[in-house]
Amino acid sequence: MTKGVKILIIIVAALFIGSVIWIILSYRTPDSTYVEIVQNNKVLYTFDLSKEKDRTFRIESSDGGWNEIKIENGKICISDADCPDHTCVNTGVLRSEAIPIVCLPHKLVIRFAEKEQS
Amino acid sequence: MKTKRLTELALLTAIALIIFIIELRIPNLVAIPGVKLGLANIVTVYAIYKYNAKEVAMIVFARVMLGSIFGGNVSAIIYSMAGAVMCLAGMLGVKRIVPVNYIWLSSIIGAILHNTGQIIVAVIIMRSFAVIYHYPYLIISGCIAGAFTGICAQLMIKRGFMGKTVEKNK
């Protein structure tokens, strides 16, 4: 094992352990019920999930695609979309601040908002 | 370029493409954009240790272009391309340090760089740092997937798949 290999193994191990620590530290259940839907870095909607009625609505993206957002029992998820990968649908319900729901093809992000917004 | 060489490259591209398309049928275990096994990169890693930089780049770019067209996800091409460029640049550099017995290591580094490239492009395209939260997950998945593809490539080279010669570092 040469010196270069050792250094690289240490770097990779450090990255790996660093990521695990980062995930553990950043994982917490959200203390806010405010959720914002962001597209192209513009906030489209802000909800208080604890007060929202159950409903389903669509967000059209600028290139003609759509995501169907479902709010049910104070939880939000993307129930359907016409993007090719469907990662956003598979993510399921928004649970943690650490994992926003992201739809890369439609540049859509659903995440917990920091504080109450008017 | 000799015809034999060209045929080998074409064959490798075809193998990578087939693996890529079969992998699309495997559902993702984790619903985080960018997390996948990347089995097609077995061919990339293998090629990096067997062919020179220009030839590897040809294989990878052909695979990424054709893969996104055949896979029906053309919008993802920019992510794949950014990942591929970062991964190639990094691995061609790392190859000078890491001997054949540690291919898994350079494969892990390639995988991490691949994910880094994708995250950078995602941040630029989405104009938002929300995707940064995925980065630690991508590093971990990159380590696991990279180790796996690296071990596969290492076995292929050790078993002498398509000739035993390994490209010498110049």
Side-chain angles (χ1 to χ4, degrees):
Chain A
M1 201 186 279
T2 60
K3 205 177 164 193
V5 173
K6 276 183 190 158
I7 294 170
L8 287 175
I9 289 180
I10 291 169
I11 293 173
V12 168
L15 271 176
F16 188 84
I17 295 165
S19 313
V20 173
I21 293 171
W22 186 359
I23 289 173
I24 293 169
L25 290 183
S26 66
Y27 192 86
R28 56 199 157 110
T29 44
D31 39 9
S32 84
T33 51
Y34 288 89
V35 166
E36 58 186 13
I37 299 179
V38 185
Q39 191 165 43
N40 281 325
N41 212 21
K42 284 196 288 273
V43 179
L44 296 181
Y45 304 94
T46 311
F47 303 116
D48 183 349
L49 280 183
S50 56
K51 291 180 194 138
E52 278 304 314
K53 290 196 295 270
D54 292 0
R55 61 198 171 104
T56 310
F57 59 97
R58 273 189 184 193
I59 291 180
E60 307 273 343
S61 97
S62 51
D63 58 1
W66 50 266
N67 294 72
E68 203 167 80
I69 316 251
K70 189 160 95 179
I71 299 176
E72 196 176 53
N73 302 326
K75 299 215 180 326
I76 189 164
C77 67
I78 296 183
S79 53
D80 199 5
D82 70 342
C83 57
D85 56 1
H86 277 77
T87 305
C88 51
V89 180
N90 295 332
T91 310
V93 171
L94 182 65
R95 275 188 214 92
S96 157
E97 278 173 46
I99 315 176
I101 302 178
V102 175
C103 181
L104 282 180
H106 297 156
K107 298 168 191 153
L108 188 79
V109 178
I110 304 178
R111 63 181 176 211
F112 283 103
E114 283 298 311
K115 54 189 181 297
E116 191 168 345
Q117 277 161 335
S118 57
Chain B
M1 190 186 290
K2 288 201 186 100
T3 316
K4 188 179 173 231
R5 202 76 160 161
L6 189 64
T7 318
E8 281 180 17
L9 297 181
L11 185 58
L12 282 176
T13 312
I15 294 172
L17 207 55
I18 291 164
I19 298 175
F20 179 81
I21 285 165
I22 290 174
E23 201 196 337
L24 284 179
R25 300 278 150 242
I26 305 173
N28 264 358
L29 294 175
V30 194
I32 292 173
V35 172
K36 62 186 280 196
L37 259 173
L39 292 175
N41 288 319
I42 295 173
V43 173
T44 313
V45 179
Y46 171 81
I48 277 180
Y49 274 83
K50 244 197 118 190
Y51 299 97
N52 63 37
K54 206 179 105 198
E55 290 165 335
V56 182
M58 282 162 60
I59 294 180
V60 172
F61 289 135
R63 199 263 295 162
V64 169
M65 302 277 277
L66 292 175
S68 56
I69 293 167
F70 290 170
N73 194 353
V74 184
S75 68
I77 193 169
I78 185 161
Y79 299 103
S80 322
M81 214 38 127
V85 169
M86 286 281 285
C87 171
L88 265 186
M91 285 190 70
L92 288 169
V94 162
K95 172 190 163 188
R96 290 164 195 278
I97 314 172
V98 180
V100 180
N101 283 353
Y102 294 96
I103 288 180
W104 56 269
L105 181 62
S106 65
S107 169
I108 290 176
I109 293 167
I112 292 175
L113 285 171
H114 192 284
N115 288 336
T116 310
Q118 288 179 318
I119 284 282
I120 293 171
V121 170
V123 167
I124 296 169
I125 289 185
M126 312 263 292
R127 281 182 276 160
S128 147
F129 284 96
V131 282
I132 285 283
Y133 292 111
H134 294 314
Y135 193 40
Y137 295 90
L138 286 180
I139 290 181
I140 291 173
S141 85
C143 286
I144 297 163
F148 180 73
T149 52
I151 288 166
C152 292
Q154 195 167 336
L155 284 175
M156 272 166 66
I157 287 183
K158 290 250 156 145
R159 298 263 168 95
F161 174 76
M162 276 168 68
K164 278 197 180 346
T165 48
V166 172
E167 175 79 14
K168 296 279 186 303
N169 294 334
K170 280 162 200 138

